[in-house]
Amino acid sequence: MAKGIFPHMPIPDIINALAGWGISVSPEQLKNPTSEFVEGVYCACLQQVTDLSHDALRDPVQNALNASQADDKDLYASALTSNILLYHLTRFAKAARVEDFNSRDLFTPERERTSVLLSAFINFVKFTEQYCDEFLKDLRERSDALTVQRSTIHEQLDDIQAKFDDLNARIAKDKPICEKLNEENTTLTSTMFLTKDAQAKAVRDVEQFKTDRNELMNRKEALNGELKSLEEAIMRTRGRIVQSPERIKKTISIMSSTAMEDKKTVTMHEAKARDLQTKVNALHNIEKDVRGCIEQIQTIEREVQSLDASQKSLTELRDLLNEKVIERNELRLRQERVEDQLSNAKIKLERAQKHAEDKKQASQKTIERLQEEYDEMVVERRVNDKQIEEVRDEANQVEAKMNEHLKQSEAELNELLAEYWKLRHETDVYMETLANKLNMRVTAE
């Protein structure tokens, strides 16, 4: 039989209490309870305190069956639901100070046992509604908030882990390319430096060739000017008569040889200028190649900067992941603290219940002591009332005797007064008669 500090409730009180929670039951159902009826009522009482119901247990049961990889899941669903429900009802019954709750109370209920259990459950639900509702509501809200926050953080952690894995895969994929690009970058850098040196040397040669060309062009122009001046001089002197033809021939031959040498020199300089132009064109081509190399180097530098940015982003993501891990650990610690607070609250609740039980026992003892004193006072009052009645009877008797004595005294007093007035009248008559006889004057007092 269940033992507890709760009072046993009659059937009308049980019906009214359940009706207050929206549960309609009839006296016949309480007198002849069935397993479906008691399971529904017990689950309704459990839902008032813990918000657990068949609907709330359906998804966890299905998840457990899916995780177990059972062949026939429908075969085990009902049994698993019943076991979980029995477990929660047993905990609920222990909280309501019913230590011997078992499966028999669900599947083969008895009338007296069901009435006792419903009394215990209803009293416990009313107690929680009166004293623990606000605390449990606040605790549930904080627990729900922590659950939502934990799920959000898990999702963020999964996203960050996926990004981290993606970045690692990309880094692993791009690592050979980066190594190859680094090697090409090293090769191109050395080639670029060599090309820059060759370009500088070629530029110096081109400048030197340009200077030589300008000098030769100046000399050519000077020679052309001299040739023109000589031709003009020849034209002026052609019409003159020469006194010494041999000298003129000699001069002409010398000038012809000089002109031939000058032509050879001009031809040589023109060939040299053509060579220099060819070299300049080659240098222009080399300059274009160098510019292409520089552009490739700049592209490589941009790729290197992009790689550095990716590595920096990866470092930031790692830091963010570490922060999220730390935050998750902090949340786990907070959850543990909340669980500790919940356990402490349960301990305080048990202490309060124990204190209330002790106070109730003390009050019960006080009530019993006062009842005993009241019973003693009732007995004493009865004795006192009896004594008062006796004294009252004696007082009535004394009063009756007093009245009788008063009547007798008044009668005797009246008789004495009558005798007194009679005697006085006779005395007056006697005095008047005596005075008349003695001729004496009598004054009345």
Side-chain angles (χ1 to χ4, degrees):
M1 194 65 184
K3 297 180 181 180
I5 60 173
F6 51 86
H8 183 71
M9 299 175 65
I11 291 178
D13 293 342
I14 294 175
I15 294 173
N16 292 330
L18 294 176
W21 299 331
I23 306 170
S24 178
V25 297
S26 62
E28 289 76 13
Q29 289 176 327
L30 292 174
K31 291 179 181 178
N32 299 310
T34 60
S35 59
E36 292 81 5
F37 168 71
V38 296
E39 182 178 351
V41 176
Y42 292 165
C43 289
C45 295
L46 178 64
Q47 188 176 3
Q48 293 294 325
V49 178
T50 61
D51 290 337
L52 287 176
S53 61
H54 284 286
D55 296 333
L57 295 176
R58 186 177 294 110
D59 291 337
V61 169
Q62 192 64 35
N63 294 332
L65 291 174
N66 293 331
S68 65
Q69 297 179 355
D71 295 333
D72 192 358
K73 297 178 181 179
D74 296 333
L75 181 63
Y76 300 102
S78 178
L80 183 58
T81 303
S82 299
N83 286 330
I84 294 175
L85 186 61
L86 178 62
Y87 170 73
H88 287 292
L89 286 175
T90 304
R91 293 177 66 244
F92 179 63
K94 287 183 179 179
R97 293 295 187 269
V98 179
E99 302 293 338
D100 55 350
F101 185 85
N102 51 41
S103 60
R104 184 178 179 182
D105 297 322
L106 274 179
F107 302 113
T108 57
E110 298 176 357
R111 175 182 175 181
E112 295 296 331
R113 176 73 174 177
T114 302
S115 178
V116 171
L117 291 175
L118 286 176
S119 299
F121 291 167
I122 291 170
N123 280 281
F124 182 70
V125 171
K126 288 184 177 180
F127 173 78
T128 56
E129 289 177 351
Q130 185 176 0
Y131 296 102
C132 305
D133 195 13
E134 293 296 330
F135 173 74
L136 291 176
K137 183 178 179 181
D138 182 52
L139 191 62
R140 285 172 184 166
E141 291 177 354
R142 287 188 291 170
S143 178
D144 294 338
L146 286 175
T147 303
V148 173
Q149 189 175 6
R150 183 176 63 182
S151 62
T152 305
I153 290 173
H154 276 302
E155 292 176 358
Q156 293 177 357
L157 182 62
D158 293 337
D159 294 338
I160 293 171
Q161 188 66 36
K163 292 180 181 179
F164 181 72
D165 295 337
D166 188 15
L167 288 174
N168 284 331
R170 289 176 60 186
I171 289 171
K173 183 179 179 181
D174 295 339
K175 189 174 181 181
I177 300 173
C178 291
E179 292 177 354
K180 185 177 179 181
L181 289 175
N182 287 327
E183 293 176 357
E184 291 180 358
N185 187 15
T186 305
T187 305
L188 289 173
T189 302
S190 60
T191 306
M192 183 184 68
F193 287 130
L194 294 174
T195 306
K196 280 186 177 181
D197 295 336
Q199 183 185 10
K201 185 177 180 181
V203 168
R204 288 194 299 271
D205 293 339
V206 168
E207 293 294 333
Q208 184 66 35
F209 290 151
K210 285 182 179 180
T211 304
D212 295 340
R213 181 184 176 184
N214 291 328
E215 291 178 356
L216 291 173
M217 291 298 291
N218 292 328
R219 287 182 64 186
K220 180 181 178 182
E221 290 176 357
L223 290 172
N224 288 328
E226 289 179 358
L227 287 173
K228 287 180 180 180
S229 63
L230 288 173
E231 287 178 356
E232 290 176 356
I234 289 170
M235 291 298 293
R236 284 193 303 268
T237 58
R238 182 175 291 176
R240 296 178 183 180
I241 297 171
V242 179
Q243 297 295 328
S244 179
E246 294 295 333
R247 189 177 61 185
I248 292 172
K249 287 180 180 180
K250 185 177 180 180
T251 302
I252 291 170
S253 62
I254 292 170
M255 292 177 67
S256 297
S257 61
T258 304
M260 292 297 292
E261 290 177 359
D262 291 336
K263 286 182 179 179
K264 289 180 181 179
T265 304
V266 169
T267 303
M268 183 180 65
H269 284 300
E270 288 178 354
K272 190 180 289 186
R274 285 193 296 271
D275 293 336
L276 290 174
Q277 186 66 36
T278 304
K279 290 182 179 180
V280 168
N281 293 330
L283 288 174
H284 282 301
N285 293 328
I286 291 171
E287 186 177 1
K288 290 180 181 179
D289 294 336
V290 170
R291 287 178 181 175
C293 292
I294 292 171
E295 290 177 356
Q296 290 181 359
I297 290 170
Q298 290 176 353
T299 304
I300 292 170
E301 289 178 352
R302 286 195 295 271
E303 292 294 333
V304 170
Q305 291 176 358
S306 177
L307 180 61
D308 292 336
S310 298
Q311 290 179 351
K312 186 177 180 181
S313 177
L314 176 61
T315 305
E316 292 177 354
L317 286 174
R318 284 179 179 173
D319 295 336
L320 182 61
L321 177 62
N322 293 329
E323 291 178 358
K324 293 298 182 181
V325 170
I326 293 170
E327 188 175 357
R328 183 186 65 180
N329 294 329
E330 290 178 354
L331 289 174
R332 188 175 296 169
L333 292 175
R334 287 177 61 186
Q335 183 180 5
E336 291 176 357
R337 287 197 296 270
V338 170
E339 290 176 354
D340 293 335
Q341 291 177 359
L342 179 60
S343 61
N344 293 330
K346 289 181 179 179
I347 293 172
K348 289 181 180 179
L349 178 61
E350 291 177 356
R351 289 178 181 174
Q353 290 177 351
K354 186 176 180 181
H355 183 64
E357 183 179 356
D358 295 335
K359 287 182 67 176
K360 188 173 182 180
Q361 291 178 357
S363 300
Q364 189 68 29
K365 291 180 180 178
T366 305
I367 291 171
E368 292 175 356
R369 180 175 57 80
L370 292 174
Q371 185 67 36
E372 292 175 357
E373 293 178 358
Y374 178 77
D375 294 334
E376 292 176 358
M377 289 175 65
V378 168
V379 174
E380 291 176 359
R381 185 177 179 182
R382 289 176 182 173
V383 174
N384 291 332
D385 290 338
K386 188 175 181 180
Q387 292 177 357
I388 289 170
E389 289 294 334
E390 292 176 356
V391 172
R392 188 175 293 168
D393 293 336
E394 291 177 358
N396 292 329
Q397 292 176 4
V398 170
E399 187 177 359
K401 289 180 180 180
M402 286 176 64
N403 292 328
E404 186 178 356
H405 284 297
L406 285 173
K407 289 179 181 180
Q408 291 178 0
S409 298
E410 287 177 357
E412 290 177 356
L413 183 60
N414 290 327
E415 290 176 358
L416 289 173
L417 287 173
E419 291 292 329
Y420 170 75
W421 290 112
K422 182 179 179 182
L423 181 61
R424 186 172 180 178
H425 179 68
E426 290 177 352
T427 303
D428 291 335
V429 172
Y430 173 74
M431 290 296 292
E432 186 178 358
T433 303
L434 183 61
N436 290 330
K437 288 182 177 183
L438 295 177
N439 293 321
M440 294 176 65
R441 186 180 177 183
V442 180
T443 59
E445 295 179 358

